[in-house]
């Protein structure tokens, strides 16, 4: 029998019915209904104005204010026609969240009447009071101004609530001195940097008509759904997004019966609601399914240009969270909400390509003689080897640390998986010119009526943090709660760097009279000799790899964020970002400061919360049970029985572990950042204090609490259990 509050939650859940909120409609009707698309612009704008907008989108450059005025008027007419009274500049601060500054279209006329007004200037530039966004020391309060500027490559859209509509304008967010305070500005810069170098290489390969090269991204989002009647009883899920305590459920994911199983009806209704909203916003949601852990699901879109995909990913997280509430769920985007079962990642599928050449990471059927592909793929290998620690640092968050290196997620060691066919081609290159590509062949299913499947030339390797998957790379170490912007910035920038290096090598060889093919293979051979150590096709989870990667291949194993974040301060990384014009040294240092602070804050909040829950929820329940048990044992003794004291003794021992751990944690929280680490550097000392001081104490406290959960009378236990939260909906 569960405790009264859990029983009430269970009853509430039993009464729930799937909520139908959206009337099903055909895709054509839903698609981009709430987006001010190019088509809508074209219909609304004079031809010359539209062409000018199109030019700006395709080739970059400034939007003329006179053009902006006309666009603003058209946008306002469209939005107010749909009932919008307000517009918002939407931007992406360094916190992984989405921020908005809302303003009314209202403009008073002197005579007491009002009109709606929206000028080009208001469209193109906003001025939110940015002083309370983390900026890592870029601005002091006397220069607290922040500006938002319209990112014309990402379309404006409407956000609907039951009471109205807001016009949302995607923007970049910069300080008055022009420093990037957001995640979008460096993303746009990194795409430009990669384009410059890709153009250079393509020209060397003899190409002349080259469209702008862009990076593409398709991000798979994993998440958990827990009934909100349960979350209401779990302060940890509400405030920290993860269960700080909780004994593993007797039934976990061992039956593998959830993965790709039939989706429960209430969840499917939720998913359909999410998809309809996303379609209206022009987000191309494409797949939905159950994930490995009970209560875990995934949504993935069709891939798009990286900066649009990034905006759409942020929207997807917002829509998931808000829609879950309406359906009586809490959507947990945390990387490890429940210890002991799978965590959630966000696989970032990434490639580069353009309109004239298509996907530049598509190997075709015979990769060994596809020089263009080999050079671009070689650039990736070189980049990941040279900057593996950077790739680790851009996925370093307090939440993701619980997942990386655990037995279901990629290790913290960054290596590249190519698949057997490509690995073979690149191994041949190391020795000389490749002779052929192992062909994939055809899969025989043994049933005549079934079609023959062409086999993928490389199998999947789920244990690799960075895997080639046919025509793109999949960065699997990204956390489910993260913005994809940071990882994309790193990928584009290391790509720019490698392409630059390759282009320079080729130029030198060609100038010395070498033939293009010979020069290219020579460069590729050098890439493989210097950087081939990063290519690994085996089991990334194995202890053996962890040892060999470090000892034999010289790869770094940066286990925690406290180890990984300082990579942002390395000379090579600073030089990389400033040389390619993506982040100045000041901007980079500010990112180190903000991400370190986020890590520290996350852990300190968790520590305080664990302390409070242990003392005010767990301790009282355990003591009450100990008292009851003591009385029962006494009665038994009085009756002349000899009861076993085992449970009582275990309980008493766990209670004293709980008390000791609470005291120790309280002390550690009271005197932060002393003792451990480098005392000359407060930021580093604070990081280490969290990683080496607070987390182990929290683990010890958790051990006591979870032990008690296994002993205390269920009727007294205040917190919904893992079994309840994961299996009941
Ligand atoms: P899996 O679960 O097998 O990894 P999914 O279909 O769930 O595959 O997700 C694959 C993702 O990769 C999708 O978002 C897809 O659109 C995306 N993708 C496909 N081609 C590219 C590309 N060229 N660049 C970026 N992403 C791509
Ligand atoms: Mg995937």
């Amino acid at each position: 029998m569960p405790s009264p509050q859990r029983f009430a939650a269970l009853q509430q859940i039993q009464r729930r019915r799937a909520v139908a909120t959206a009337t099903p409609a055909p895709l054509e009707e839903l698609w981009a209904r709430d987006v001010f698309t190019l088509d809508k612009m074209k219909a609304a704008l004079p031809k010359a104005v539209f062409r000018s907008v199109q030019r700006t989108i395709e080739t970059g450059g400034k939007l003329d204010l006179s053009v902006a005025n006309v666009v603003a008027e058209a946008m306002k007419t469209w939005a107010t026609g749909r009932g919008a009274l307000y517009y918002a500049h939407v931007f992406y601060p360094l916190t992984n969240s989405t921020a908005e500054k809302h303003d009314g279209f209202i403009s008073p006329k002197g005579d007491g009447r009002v009109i709606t007004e929206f000028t080009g200037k208001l469209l193109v530039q906003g001025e939110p009071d940015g002083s309370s966004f983390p900026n890592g020391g870029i601005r002091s309060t006397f220069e607290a101004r922040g500006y938002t500027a319209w990112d014309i490559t990402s379309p404006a859209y409407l956000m609907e609530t039951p009471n109205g509509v807001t016009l949302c304008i995607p923007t970049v967010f910069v300080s008055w001195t022009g420093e990037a305070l957001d995640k979008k500005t460096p993303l746009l810069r990194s795409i430009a940097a990669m384009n410059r170098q890709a153009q250079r290489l393509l020209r060397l390969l003899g190409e002349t008509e080259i469209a702008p090269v862009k990076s593409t991204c398709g991000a798979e989002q994993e998440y958990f759904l827990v009934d909100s009647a349960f979350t209401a009883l779990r302060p940890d899920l509400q405030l920290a997004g993860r269960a700080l305590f909780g004994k593993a459920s007797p039934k976990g994911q061992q039956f593998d019966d959830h993965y790709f199983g039939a989706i429960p009806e209430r969840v499917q209704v939720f998913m359909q609601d999410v998809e309809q909203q996303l379609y209206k916003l022009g987000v191309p949601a494409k797949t939905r399914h159950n994930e490995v852990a009970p209560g875990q699901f995934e949504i993935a879109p069709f891939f798009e240009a990286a900066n649009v995909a990034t905006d759409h990913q942020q929207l997807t997280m917002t829509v998931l969270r808000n829609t879950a509430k309406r359906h009586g769920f809490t959507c947990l985007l945390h990387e490890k909400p429940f210890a002991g079962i799978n965590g959630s990642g966000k696989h970032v599928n990434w490639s580069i390509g353009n309109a004239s050449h298509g996907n530049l990471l598509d190997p075709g059927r015979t990769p060994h003689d596809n020089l263009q592909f080999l050079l671009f793929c070689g650039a990736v290998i070189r980049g990941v080897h040279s900057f593996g620690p950077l790739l680790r640092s851009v996925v370093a968050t307090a939440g993701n640390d619980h997942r990386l290196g655990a037995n279901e997620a990629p290790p913290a060691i960054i290596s590249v998986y190519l698949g057997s066919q490509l690995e073979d081609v690149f191994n041949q290159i190391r020795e000389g010119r490749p002779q052929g590509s192992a062909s994939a062949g055809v899969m025989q299913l043994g049933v005549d009526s079934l079609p023959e499947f062409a086999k993928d030339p490389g199998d999947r390797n789920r244990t690799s943090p960075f895997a080639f998957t046919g025509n793109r790379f999949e960065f699997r170490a990204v956390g489910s709660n993260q913005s994809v912007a940071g990882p994309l910035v790193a990928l584009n920038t290391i790509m720019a760097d490698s392409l630059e290096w390759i282009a320079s090598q080729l130029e030198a060889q060609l100038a010395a009279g070498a033939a293009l093919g010979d020069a290219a293979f020579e460069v590729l051979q050098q890439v493989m000799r210097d950087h081939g150590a990063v290519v690994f096709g085996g089991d990334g989870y194995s202890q053996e790899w962890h040892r060999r990667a470090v000892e034999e291949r010289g790869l770094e194993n940066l286990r925690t964020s406290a180890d990984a974040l300082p990579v942002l301060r390395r000379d090579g990384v600073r030089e990389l970002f400033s040389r390619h014009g993506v982040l100045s040294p000041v901007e980079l240092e500010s990112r180190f400061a903000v991400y370190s602070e986020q890590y520290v804050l996350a852990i300190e909040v968790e520590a305080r919360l664990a302390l409070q829950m242990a003392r005010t929820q767990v301790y009282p329940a355990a003591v009450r049970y100990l008292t009851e048990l003591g009385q029962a044992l006494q009665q038994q003794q009085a009756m002349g029985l000899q009861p076993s004291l085992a449970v009582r003794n275990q309980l008493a021992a766990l209670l004293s572990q709980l008390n000791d751990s609470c005291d120790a944690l309280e002390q550690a929280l009271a005197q932060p950042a002393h003792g451990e680490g480098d005392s000359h550097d407060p930021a580093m000392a604070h990081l280490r204090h969290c990683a080496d001081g607070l987390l182990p104490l929290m683990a010890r406290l958790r051990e006591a609490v979870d032990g008690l959960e296994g002993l205390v009378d269920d009727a007294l236990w205040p917190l919904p259990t893992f079994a309840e939260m994961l299996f009941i909906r």
Side-chain angles (χ1 to χ4, degrees), residues 378-391:
V380 177
I381 294 171
R382 177 186 178 275
V384 177
H385 185 246
S386 308
F387 294 102
L390 171 63
L391 290 178

Side-chain angles (χ1 to χ4, degrees), residues 361-378:
L361 289 174
D362 190 343
R365 292 178 66 83
T366 51
H368 69 281
D369 62 9
N370 182 345
L371 207 52
Q372 179 187 298
F373 165 75
L374 289 176
L375 286 168
F376 278 92
C377 190

Side-chain angles (χ1 to χ4, degrees), residues 136-160:
I138 284 187
R139 295 165 304 163
S140 39
T141 18
F142 65 90
E143 51 188 35
R145 251 168 227 253
Y147 293 103
T148 50
W150 183 29
D151 168 19
I152 194 171
T153 59
S154 185
Y157 56 92
L158 300 175
M159 268 310 233
E160 263 180 307

Side-chain angles (χ1 to χ4, degrees), residues 216-218 220 287 298 300-303 349-351 359 460 471-472 474:
T216 49
C217 164
E220 305 161 51
T287 57
E298 178 182 298
F302 199 80
F303 73 94
N349 293 271
W350 166 87
S351 187
N359 182 352
R460 290 297 168 96
N471 60 1
R472 62 187 182 271
E474 184 174 9

Side-chain angles (χ1 to χ4, degrees), residues 200-210 357 510 516:
R200 215 177 125 198
L201 179 55
L202 285 170
R203 274 196 303 275
L204 283 174
L205 291 175
E207 304 294 324
T208 46
E209 302 279 302
I210 312 168
H357 291 70
L510 294 177
L516 179 63

